Amino acid sequence: MRVLVTGGAGFIGSHFAKRLERAGEDVVVLDKLTYSGNPANLDGTGIELVVGDICDSQAVERATEGCEAIVNFAADTHVDRSILGATDFGRTEFVGTQTLLELVRKTGMRYVQVSTDEVYGDLETGGSSRETDPLCPSSPYSVAKAAGDLHIPAYVRTFGVQACITRGSNTYGPNQYPEKLIPLFTTNALDAEPLPLYGDGRQVRDWLYVEDHCAGIEAVLRRGRAGEIYNIGGGHEVENIEVAKGIVELTGADPTLLQHVEDRPGHDRRYSLSCEKAKQELDWEPVVSFADGLAQTVAWYRENRPWWDSIKSGEHYRAYYERQYAERLENAE
Ligand code: TYD
């Protein structure tokens, strides 16, 4: 099968592209190479990389030549950046997804939309989100993801396309751009820089190792039923402060690096996914424990300093870091 992986030079997309290649599939990646897309993530593979935007129908049409499926990872993914300014987020998700689906509709390709548990919103008072739950996004990022998702049932119903949605929980592992909690704290800890924990640090995320996430998406690509949504969660609900302490321990960093800083506006307290449907219908289950996954991830960052040093020393990253953290760290407790 020839498969187009959009956003395939990014974190989860590149792991997925490599996984499909290992399974013997013919993979082509379409990636705009914005700040977090990195051709080095595909080093050592035979995967073809086409540089282009999913909102550009001609670029998409050229990249999908001979393809039987599209798996869409292309997205602006960071909540904090969406709070600083979100214009591009809506365009990539809403216009980009529709551009892909217009082609799917004409060609009959299979389609998987890679989405997030954040579209269900905050579950502070308990319970777990099911695929039938209403969308209740809290941040500009998750609104954009939810808006993209809305196209899928409409195209299935109106045009009969073979499309599914996956909703993954917080994903971590090697090659993640160091702006999300785990890679940011790991690389800061290795550099003896502060670890800026938002608010009381008691927010809960459900952590999913990247290979488990990719296995779930692959199961949906191969066996998902058209029009269905599948939750793909790690089943490891952990408070941020516990994640941070784990990183401090694994890196051997000074625990006083951990600092409570001003909270993220609109911060969701807790996400949780019910994944019974993926287990029953697709026989998918995560297999990597959080302790093993975190240890492997920290080891990867320890051994691959050049990969993240070149990102963190760059102008773009430094400007973002200054904007997001300088004042917070000055006023840290
Ligand atoms: P993040 O990795 O940005 O993922 P998401 O917002 O999609 O859940 O954040 C995970 C959690 O960690 C979230 O509750 C916010 C918190 N966090 C911090 O406390 N400090 C930070 O510097 C970052 C990036 C996140």
Side-chain angles (χ1 to χ4, degrees):
M1 172 164 62
R2 185 165 166 86
V3 182
L4 179 74
V5 179
T6 60
F11 165 48
I12 312 175
S14 64
H15 281 275
F16 184 76
K18 288 184 272 194
R19 182 184 180 89
L20 280 193
E21 189 190 46
R22 286 197 301 274
E25 309 298 356
D26 184 11
V27 184
V28 54
V29 160
L30 176 68
D31 199 296
K32 198 176 161 190
L33 298 183
T34 56
Y35 74 93
S36 60
N38 186 348
N41 289 344
L42 299 172
D43 278 356
T45 73
I47 295 168
E48 183 189 342
L49 169 63
V50 179
V51 180
D53 186 344
I54 59 165
C55 298
D56 174 353
S57 56
Q58 285 177 357
V60 171
E61 200 167 337
R62 277 196 303 273
T64 49
E65 236 165 73
C67 286
E68 287 155 68
I70 299 178
V71 184
N72 180 26
F73 292 86
D76 293 290
T77 65
H78 192 36
V79 173
D80 290 325
R81 283 185 194 257
S82 82
I83 293 169
L84 293 175
T87 328
D88 290 348
F89 284 69
R91 181 171 174 274
T92 310
E93 289 304 322
F94 195 78
V95 178
T97 301
Q98 188 158 45
T99 306
L100 296 173
L101 285 167
E102 278 296 300
L103 197 67
V104 164
R105 168 192 163 189
K106 287 179 204 142
T107 58
M109 283 182 283
R110 283 181 73 81
Y111 181 86
V112 179
Q113 172 81 349
V114 178
S115 186
T116 166
D117 58 0
E118 299 197 23
V119 297
Y120 297 120
D122 199 344
L123 291 186
E124 184 172 6
T125 53
S128 295
S129 301
R130 302 180 69 88
E131 289 85 349
T132 46
D133 284 357
L135 300 175
C136 195
S138 321
S139 70
Y141 157 72
S142 49
V143 167
K145 290 299 291 183
D149 286 10
L150 288 176
H151 289 304
I152 284 78
Y155 272 74
V156 170
R157 181 176 167 137
T158 310
F159 305 111
V161 301
Q162 296 285 313
C164 299
I165 299 173
T166 63
R167 295 207 172 124
S169 64
N170 279 66
T171 305
Y172 69 101
N175 302 90
Q176 188 170 26
Y177 190 87
E179 63 186 353
K180 302 280 170 71
L181 179 70
I182 288 180
L184 175 73
F185 278 27
T186 301
T187 54
N188 279 13
L190 291 171
D191 274 348
E193 294 283 336
L195 313 182
L197 201 56
Y198 296 153
D200 64 5
R202 298 278 172 204
Q203 302 84 1
V204 172
R205 297 293 184 266
D206 172 7
W207 292 99
L208 173 63
Y209 192 65
V210 65
E211 277 308 323
D212 278 335
H213 193 168
C214 291
I217 297 166
E218 185 184 357
V220 173
L221 172 66
R222 296 192 191 280
R223 303 191 292 281
R225 287 185 295 125
E228 296 296 319
I229 299 165
Y230 296 93
N231 288 345
I232 308 287
H236 306 295
E237 288 182 30
V238 189
E239 289 184 346
N240 293 339
I241 195 162
E242 296 307 324
V243 175
K245 284 180 185 166
I247 291 170
V248 165
E249 199 170 304
L250 286 163
T251 53
D254 179 347
T256 61
L257 291 176
L258 203 53
Q259 299 189 10
H260 288 270
V261 300
E262 186 194 339
D263 208 350
R264 171 188 281 176
H267 198 168
D268 285 338
R269 289 297 287 184
R270 175 174 170 267
Y271 301 131
S272 175
L273 282 177
S274 161
C275 301
E276 278 313 301
K277 183 172 172 181
K279 281 177 197 157
Q280 281 170 17
E281 282 192 24
L282 306 172
D283 197 24
W284 170 85
E285 241 180 320
V287 295
V288 180
S289 71
F290 186 61
D292 285 353
L294 192 62
Q296 282 172 41
T297 303
V298 170
W300 187 87
Y301 281 93
R302 200 192 279 285
E303 286 155 20
N304 289 275
R305 178 177 274 277
W307 183 91
W308 52 270
D309 247 356
S310 68
I311 295 171
K312 291 188 95 168
S313 58
E315 187 59 36
H316 178 92
Y317 185 89
R318 294 217 318 275
Y320 165 74
Y321 197 85
E322 169 79 16
R323 212 172 148 205
Q324 181 64 20
Y325 294 107
E327 205 179 312
R328 279 190 162 90
L329 286 167
E330 248 169 54
N331 302 324
E333 286 161 25

